[in-house]
């Protein structure tokens, strides 16, 4: 993925609309929000990711000569519009929530304001980048939580949905708390430590398992995690591994030793493996497992007493297989007319959950004096919160009873990062710093909100002022 | 995705193994098969895709200076091995089944033979490309079948798992039978017709729905599918659309008219919409629907009599959401020693379904004299099939009773496409030709094998010779 080559990573209709906006409403500005409705795995929040790539894609939006030719050949666009595209320079302002932040359903996580012609064009590209990485970071967060402090390594490249899914997916798993990846491109690009030793093919290429292990130890004493399940884990794999570890010890080689199990009932196998390794004096040998793991399996086997140091997690994390779609949307919330007047906009629907929140908004996280977050509030951006705040539940299906919030410290989550061609704020580039920020923000949330099954709902409100605006606009339609 | 930049799209362990092979077994050749075990959506076959990109990735395998520096910095590889990588030239031979072919569980779809050092390095990259596109082409085949001749348009870019997933996913949906995509990059790259008109934001940007429709018709009479569900489909959207169609008619504009519905109960709504359009004299107006569709929903609503001309299918096709992982594997099946001797290899497992088929293999599709396929046979590549063939079921869980097959025309499916740096066969580049080939191959299969729910199992056999080899090798372990 090259952020300078994503301008056509979009649906045709963004361009047919932009062309028609160019003719019909060239001076109008639009304000669009990205937010999530249903969250994956029935979670109560997602971990926002993909922000850096999304902002860069807007910043570097550019059509090459061959792309312009392609658009011309479609015979759908005016020459004036094509000329406009050839000279394209971003004029939009982009606000985002910091990458790695846990965010809740309905909260604006990205806001784009600028000429309708431009802001419309960014929709598909932004949603693709944000939906994908947020989905995978959120899945990784769950898997890492289930591992209770043990290392989670991302091993999913071969089953990811294409090259970008493996590379940017690996990035997202680090944001969600994974420690390493097996993917070299991701390792190189994002400075993530990489992990891996051998596959079954290594073992099978030698006359015996022992010969394969010995050859491995000769070449890789410092990276000597032996795959023990090619033939028979307990009767051949582990005894052979122990022989090799003993050899290394005898020879006084400074080695990093361990075993990996990729099949079978890992609870029983790892218990027995641990015992065999310990009895042979190799208490430092690490046990890695890597067989179709996800948060549910990891939680179960740890409950059963499995003896595992590292989890190599593949397809189920890199595709978020139990919930493979995040349905972030990009919705118009206001139009700024030529005369400067801002008119809030709303999408009406027979389904309450699909009605949008009108107006340009800010999202606040409210903290008590001990630094614990206890609620989020969606407000109009130009509202002053004051010391006492009248709100209603944001959930479109909740009763709209007024609550008064007091004694809070409110932190605005959306910040301007890009204005036209000018970066207002540098985005964090170090994925482990994003991970650390994410974990700090997760610590501020109540434990019950982070439960993997049936988590408690964290209170998210809209201000009474915003609620009134929505009610009035709905009444008009 | 750039096929010249995929060399590091891989797991570290491919490189640690290659490095160790370089030291320990530099002259040995390996033979690896790609095959699928469990198939998505409980289908009886998958539609093979991604072959062109996979072969190009091998052909163009190359490490840049910065990639070599990165590998060096990992401090895991010998300088000799890094020098070998710097001068890397593919020496492997690649056999593949033609892209678009329906293939069954256990059949080798790609075979790579060459220096272990090299063939090992291709594993993750090949699996990523083949698994992803085959998954999506197979899902598209199902969705297209459910649409019973109506057009399926790929609309999933915003929910695809990253940019490549949207672009190559769109390619795969065409192989599976889709007619158009909304994705411009895919349209440009693969010469796929693109589709799209407007989103809700277009409607909301105007004071009234009618004004939005009129402005659209002014700008796009030839691409005039109006989105009618922003406010109220039956009381506002369709009546306003009809007004605009009447205006176009009055003005004598040559227009392509239609409506799109993106929410609500589409069965009832499309029936009413069709009636309203027909009564107004617009029998030619097309009805498109696009709300979270997949093969199950399409089948249901068509059974209920929904009036639909085009299906815009999004997230559920581009992610194969009901079955988002295809678990293709790359397994060593033989080693060719320095002396030229070929030794078959097998992966043993406590689970019967994980035991591999040893030896270098060919896959045959068997036809009766009227051109209907009635079975597949997996044989050793050097076997002669003759007129009468002794086989057993390939399913690892089936009883291994011998059958004799006669009166067949056997077509070998695996063909050599690349030998070292030489292309032996050009691969089809036109996705619609691949689609046509795929549909011709699908026609040859029995209808009951293509059923969406509980399909009949198509008979796949292994020759008695191959079965005996496997039995003997298992007995040795």
């Amino acid at each position: 993925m090259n952020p300078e080559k994503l301008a056509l990573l979009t649906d045709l209709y963004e361009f047919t609309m932009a062309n028609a906006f160019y003719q019909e409403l060239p001076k109008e500005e639009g304000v669009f929000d990205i937010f999530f409705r249903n969250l994956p795995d029935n979670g109560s929040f997602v971990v926002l990711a993909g922000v850096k790539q999304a902002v860069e894609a807007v910043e570097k939006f550019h059509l090459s000569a061959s792309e312009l030719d392609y658009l011309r050949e479609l015979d759908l666009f005016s020459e004036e519009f094509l000329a406009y595209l050839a000279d394209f320079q971003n004029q939009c302002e982009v606000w985002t929530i910091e990458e790695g932040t846990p965010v809740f359903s309905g909260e604006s996580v990205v806001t784009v304001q600028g000429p309708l012609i431009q802001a419309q064009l960014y929709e598909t590209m932004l949603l693709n980048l944000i939906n994908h990485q947020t989905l995978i970071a959120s899945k990784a967060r769950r898997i890492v939580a289930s591992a209770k402090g043990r290392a989670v390594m991302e091993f999913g490249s071969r089953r990811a949905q294409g090259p970008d899914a493996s590379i940017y997916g690996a990035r997202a798993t680090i944001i969600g708390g994974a420690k390493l990846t097996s993917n070299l491109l991701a390792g190189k690009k994002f400075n993530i430590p990489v992990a891996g030793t051998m596959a079954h093919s290594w073992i099978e290429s030698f006359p015996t398992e022992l010969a394969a292990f010995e050859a491995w130890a000769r070449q890789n004493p410092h990276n000597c995690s032996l795959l023990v399940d090619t033939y028979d884990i307990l009767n051949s794999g582990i005894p052979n591994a122990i022989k090799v570890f003993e050899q290394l010890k005898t020879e006084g080689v400074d080695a990093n030793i361990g075993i990996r199990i990729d099949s079978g009932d890992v609870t029983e196998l790892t218990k027995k493996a641990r015992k065999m390794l310990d009895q042979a004096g190799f208490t430092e040998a690490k046990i890695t497992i890597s067989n179709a793991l996800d948060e549910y399996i990891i939680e179960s086997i740890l409950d059963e007493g499995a003896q595992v140091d590292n989890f190599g997690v593949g397809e189920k994390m890199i595709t978020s297989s139990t919930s493979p779609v995040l349905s972030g949307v990009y919705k118009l919330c206001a139009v700024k007319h030529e005369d400067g007047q801002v008119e809030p906009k709303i999408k009406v629907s027979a389904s309450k959950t699909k009605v949008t929140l009108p107006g340009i908004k800010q999202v606040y996280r409210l903290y008590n004096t001990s630094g614990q977050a206890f609620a989020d509030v969606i407000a109009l951006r130009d509202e002053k919160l004051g010391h006492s705040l009248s709100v209603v539940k944001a959930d479109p299906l909740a009763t709209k009873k007024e609550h008064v919030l007091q004694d809070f410290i409110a932190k605005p989550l959306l910040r301007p990062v890009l204005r036209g061609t000018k970066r207002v704020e540098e985005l964090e580039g170090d994925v482990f710093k994003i991970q650390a920020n994410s974990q700090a923000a997760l610590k501020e949330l109540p434990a019950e909100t982070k439960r993997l099954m049936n988590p408690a709902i964290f209170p998210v409100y809209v201000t009474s002022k915003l609620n009134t605006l929505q009610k009035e606009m709905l009444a008009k339609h």
Side-chain angles (χ1 to χ4, degrees), chain A:
Chain A
M1 173 169 106
N2 179 339
E4 289 176 50
K5 291 187 178 162
L6 295 182
L8 289 192
L9 176 72
T10 193
D11 295 299
L12 172 62
Y13 81 176
E14 315 292 5
F15 275 86
T16 54
M17 279 190 280
N19 176 65
F21 279 133
Y22 183 84
Q23 311 294 336
E24 296 280 339
L25 301 173
K27 299 284 172 69
E28 309 283 283
E29 282 194 2
V31 188
F32 291 85
D33 288 322
I34 293 181
F35 59 92
F36 309 108
R37 284 175 182 139
N38 302 323
L39 304 186
D41 287 315
N42 299 312
S44 77
F45 63 87
V46 288
V47 174
L48 183 65
V51 172
K52 189 175 164 64
Q53 285 73 34
V55 174
E56 283 173 1
V58 170
E59 198 170 27
K60 298 183 176 167
F61 191 93
H62 162 78
L63 288 145
S64 69
S66 101
E67 289 173 331
L68 288 165
D69 287 346
Y70 169 70
L71 291 177
R72 181 173 289 108
E73 283 159 22
L74 292 178
D75 208 14
L76 291 167
F77 309 113
S78 68
E79 276 305 318
E80 296 77 11
F81 175 64
L82 292 169
Y84 174 87
L85 290 178
D87 291 333
F88 195 97
Q89 262 209 333
N90 176 55
Q91 294 169 260
C92 295
E93 179 172 286
V94 180
W95 292 52
T96 70
I97 290 180
E98 192 178 13
E99 194 157 13
T101 306
V103 294
F104 298 88
S105 179
E107 298 182 341
S108 313
V109 297
V110 174
T111 301
V112 177
Q113 173 167 357
L116 272 169
I117 310 165
Q118 296 198 348
Q120 186 67 62
L121 283 178
Y122 301 145
E123 175 177 20
T124 309
M125 169 183 96
L126 291 179
L127 287 176
N128 176 286
L129 299 171
I130 297 279
N131 276 331
H132 170 231
Q133 288 197 50
T134 301
L135 178 71
I136 307 305
S138 305
K139 187 64 169 179
R141 197 283 303 175
R142 297 172 59 82
I143 290 172
V144 168
S146 74
K148 299 196 170 66
R150 295 163 187 82
V152 169
M153 312 191 284
E154 188 288 300
F155 274 11
S157 296
R158 66 193 55 198
R159 308 273 162 81
Q161 296 195 350
D164 284 334
S166 69
I167 302 161
Y168 293 88
R171 175 183 188 272
T173 68
I174 300 297
I175 293 175
K179 289 256 185 308
L180 304 108
T181 180
S182 61
N183 185 302
L184 286 171
L185 262 188
K188 175 175 189 290
K189 204 171 175 72
F190 305 114
N191 206 17
I192 305 169
V194 288
T197 57
M198 71 185 72
H200 298 114
S201 54
W202 174 263
I203 315 294
E204 292 167 63
S205 298
F206 288 79
T208 66
E209 188 180 53
L210 184 61
F213 285 176
E214 287 171 339
W216 190 265
R218 260 196 304 280
Q219 299 301 329
N220 298 279
H222 303 301
N223 187 25
C224 198
S225 180
L226 301 171
L227 181 61
V228 294
D229 69 345
T230 306
Y231 304 116
D232 184 328
I233 299 173
L234 298 175
N235 298 307
S236 158
I238 299 178
N240 281 331
I242 288 173
K243 275 185 208 156
V244 171
F245 298 157
E246 280 165 348
Q247 257 170 266
L248 288 169
K249 204 188 213 170
T250 309
E251 293 162 14
V253 178
D254 176 29
N256 279 318
I257 59 172
I259 62 166
R260 180 163 72 93
I261 298 174
D262 189 42
S263 56
D265 179 54
V266 287
T267 298
E268 281 316 300
L269 288 168
T270 57
K271 282 184 192 175
K272 288 180 180 155
R274 186 71 272 161
K275 203 174 276 179
M276 290 165 81
L277 290 166
D278 289 354
Q279 281 173 352
F282 297 107
T283 53
E284 79 279 22
K286 296 271 186 278
I287 298 176
T288 300
I289 64 168
S290 57
N291 185 21
L293 300 170
D294 65 12
E295 67 271 41
Y296 305 107
I297 296 169
I298 292 176
E299 202 163 53
S300 294
I301 62 170
L302 289 180
D303 280 352
E304 293 162 4
Q307 298 294 307
V308 181
D309 298 289
N310 306 303
F311 293 99
V313 184
E315 61 199 45
K316 293 187 177 181
M317 181 159 70
I318 205 72
T319 65
S320 184
S321 66
T322 50
S323 240
V325 175
L326 179 58
S327 311
V329 293
Y330 185 83
K331 291 291 176 192
L332 185 73
C333 63
V335 166
K336 189 174 173 187
H337 297 294
E338 225 182 312
D339 60 7
Q341 186 114 28
V342 176
E343 183 192 355
K345 291 286 180 178
I346 192 166
K347 159 88 179 75
V348 179
S349 172
S351 158
K352 270 192 177 179
T353 58
K354 285 198 159 188
V355 176
T356 60
L357 286 171
I360 306 176
K361 295 174 289 294
Q362 175 59 282
V363 179
Y364 295 91
R365 187 144 297 166
L366 303 193
Y367 297 85
N368 60 26
T369 46
S370 55
Q372 273 299 111
F374 68 91
D376 275 10
V377 173
I378 308 172
L380 290 162
R381 194 190 280 168
D382 57 11
E383 272 188 85
K384 296 277 165 277
L385 292 204
H387 292 294
S388 164
L389 183 62
S390 170
V391 297
V392 303
K393 288 250 170 81
D395 179 356
L397 299 178
T399 52
K400 295 292 173 181
K401 205 186 109 193
E402 290 215 344
H403 301 252
V404 175
L405 304 177
Q406 283 174 315
D407 300 322
F408 55 78
I409 301 149
K411 179 182 159 191
L413 298 185
L414 281 162
R415 294 193 301 213
V417 294
L418 183 70
R419 278 203 185 95
T421 54
K422 194 169 165 272
R423 233 357 138 91
V424 182
E425 185 178 311
E426 268 320 304
L427 296 170
E428 182 56 62
D430 180 332
V431 280
F432 285 98
K433 284 204 182 135
I434 300 173
Q435 183 193 69
N437 293 340
S438 183
Q439 293 183 347
L442 283 166
K443 269 212 190 98
E444 298 166 351
L445 295 183
E448 58 272 24
T449 299
K450 294 176 274 189
R451 202 186 296 138
L452 297 183
M453 302 281 277
N454 299 322
I457 303 298
F458 185 76
V460 180
Y461 299 102
V462 299
T463 60
S464 294
K465 193 171 167 192
L466 175 52
N467 185 52
T468 304
L469 174 65
Q470 190 193 40
K471 262 201 308 200
E472 287 171 359
M473 292 188 68
L474 278 176
K476 259 194 251 167
H477 283 291

